[in-house]
Amino acid sequence: MICAIPVVNYKLLYVRIILVLIKMKTKLALIVHGGAGTVAQSRHPQKLAGVQQALRAGYEVLKATNNPVDAVEASIKVMELDEAFNAGYGSMLTCNGEVEMDAILIRGSDLKAGAVGAMKNVAHPISVCKAIMEKTPHVLLVGDGAEQFAKEHGFPVTVTTSEQLTAPRARNLLERVLAKQTVASTEASDSSHDDAPKSLSKGEGGTVGAVAINTFGEIAAGTSTGGIAAKLPGRVGDTPIIGGGTFCDDAICGAGATGLGEAIMRTCVCSRIANALEKGEEPNQACLSALEFMTSRIPEGDGGAIVLTKDGEVGFNFNSNQMSWAYIKQDENVIHYGIEKGDDFTVPYSDS
Amino acid sequence: MNKLVFLSILLLIGTVRAADPILIIHGGAGTITSEHAAHKRIGMVASIRAGFQVLLDTDNPMDAVEAAIHVLESSPAFNAGYGSVLTENGEIEMDAIVINGTDLTAGAVGAMKHVLHPISVARFVMNSTEHVFLVGEFAEKFAESRGIPLVPTSELIANSTGGKMGVKSHLGRKIRSSYDDVGTVGAVAINSKGNIVAGTSTGGLTGKMEGRVGDAPLVGSGTLADDDVAGISATGDGEAFIRWRVASRVASLIEQGVNASEAILTVLNGMTNKIPGTSGGCIAITKDGEIGFQWNSEHLAWAYVKGSNMTIHYGVEKGEDQTTPFTVVAS
């Protein structure tokens, strides 16, 4: 019996391996957040569980495919399904009681992006963003046009989806916000049990975001949100605005912000994070500088941000009361997560 | 006499910024035929006259920017308001923004139909809501609720630019700017106190998808204003301007001390380098009253006038710098 011995071109194989090794300049890393704001204690467990679950889902994809865009999408899809977060299912409602969502996905290598604003009736806005990025020459689609695009590209879109996206808690919260807006301010409220914001700004937040970097230093960033409770229909926030709520450029970093959308937009928070990093600020400080600038110019605005630098360093910070977050770095293989200032819980990462 | 001493002291301390009122506008970047260029020059001069008169009368840069842009939105020669280009469905959907550089408040609309003056709706968003950006059908309803009359799309279609994409194109979606698209309009004003306002208004890209929003109404992409830095309004291939964050980059360079026009050209060339096949133009006024305007497309329609000089400068072609005196209209 003659065994066929494969003829291997070792020279070619050697060159190929060298080329891949040259391209490999960073270790994998993934960071997610589940929103910055004032989060009632009773909500902490589900937020912490939710960001970990989202992180695991994204990291599995990142390890398996080395594709940061797919990893960011996977993390965000988990949070869009999770009632704990203000995205997809669980989104805050407009003053008319509907779900309208903003989202974005940016690829840092060629700066291509897809984004939606005030889009209804779709369960996974982040996936619609990916389709816009890959299949159209545009970046941002809003309103009915965004919904129409989703329908034409095979996303399930039905009027009942909006009802399916409405969590009882969101409806409850809307009723309380609307009531507060009409009730005289002399009414005392017990803030420890009361998570209904008095004005648009001091709510739980719950916008979700993710940034991933692969072994080639390629970065992707994404954000998804239902926006602020009782917003006007048609209102678009900072999330789908590059340099505002989200940013991604392999030459600098990937970043995502959360908080009062109008304040983030007006001060271009993520652009400021990128600029601060370029000036040599350390990642956590870069996030804080940008947020503090925002609050100094717009006192009613506060929030949080996450960042992954081009070298795979992790940063996050918040000047709101809480921000749920989680991250993992390949060289550590440990999931870090938290929600209060100073939290750094850890759990070893093991493959499922 | 005491008042003079007091003012001098204030000036010395630097709490009173004595600035020269300046207005700069643009009427789009791209390839402009010589026939269109003639119309654009007329529009630029009419717009700058209207806007600067308001600036001199009121010292209110927001009113000046709105007045200047109104003229261009009413003119068929520009891709804004009346004369806007059509979407793939034969509709007109407009984007606009106005930003107050003093407190960074802003108002913007995206993919809004049936309004002649989107810049005014943007201003209402800023002044009468807690939001910055309203889009689509509700932006229109909001305009109506503020007393702005809605008009059918047919009244916004100008013969010179409209009708070309009357039906969904069988050739597929047009993705590149053509000369049909040239004519996003913008204005930046600084008053005697150094308060800066920037505004932009556009019908967007010919044949764009329904609901497509470009760079104009996105803070940091097409427009930006900050009394501590500059006011900026840009025009060109919208998606590239979004991805490159043109206005933010220009502002960063200006903050680092780069000359305004040089900052603009550097940013535009950087954009074209990263995203080949794209181009555009941009105008700016820095916090020190330095003006900048540059483009790496073939043409940019522009005009400016400074209070210290009272001469309108305007042009379309590279190297063109026509002048005409600004005459104050006695009120």
Side-chain angles (χ1 to χ4, degrees), chain B residues 92-110:
Chain B
I92 284 182
E93 294 185 358
M94 300 164 286
D95 309 332
I97 188 171
V98 68
I99 309 176
N100 181 337
T102 308
D103 57 8
L104 305 184
T105 52
V109 293

Side-chain angles (χ1 to χ4, degrees), chain A residues 276-318:
Chain A
L277 286 173
E278 280 190 309
K279 288 199 188 97
E281 276 183 52
E282 168 284 318
N284 291 338
Q285 184 54 42
C287 291
L288 193 61
S289 310
L291 294 168
E292 286 181 339
F293 177 88
M294 172 181 74
T295 310
S296 73
R297 290 298 284 267
I298 306 168
E300 64 271 22
D302 62 14
I306 58 173
V307 69
L308 278 182
T309 72
K310 63 176 169 58
D311 305 311
E313 287 172 65
V314 167
F316 64 93
N317 224 319
F318 51 101

Side-chain angles (χ1 to χ4, degrees), chain A residues 153-174:
Chain A
H153 286 260
F155 292 93
V157 172
T158 60
V159 173
T160 55
T161 311
S162 207
E163 289 158 25
Q164 287 165 7
L165 293 172
T166 303
R169 182 180 174 273
R171 186 165 293 292
N172 225 298
L173 198 67
L174 175 67

Side-chain angles (χ1 to χ4, degrees), chain A residues 196-216:
Chain A
K198 291 174 186 54
S199 74
L200 288 180
S201 58
K202 294 297 178 188
E204 181 184 279
T207 292
V208 304
V211 184
I213 189 167
N214 71 4
T215 55
F216 299 147

Side-chain angles (χ1 to χ4, degrees), chain B residues 54-55 58-68 97-101 103 105-107 119 122-123 126-127 189 191 195-199:
Chain B
V54 169
L55 191 58
T58 69
D59 208 33
N60 184 328
M62 182 73 61
D63 288 345
V65 161
E66 192 182 8
I97 188 171
V98 68
I99 309 176
N100 181 337
D103 57 8
T105 52
I119 195 74
R123 195 172 173 182
M126 181 177 75
N127 287 338
N191 70 1
N195 302 127
I196 301 173
V197 169

Side-chain angles (χ1 to χ4, degrees), chain A residues 63-86:
Chain A
K63 283 198 319 169
T65 68
N66 210 30
N67 185 328
V69 168
D70 290 349
V72 162
E73 186 193 10
S75 280
I76 290 181
K77 281 180 81 168
V78 166
M79 293 189 281
E80 282 172 340
L81 289 173
D82 190 340
E83 183 271 348
F85 304 107
N86 174 15

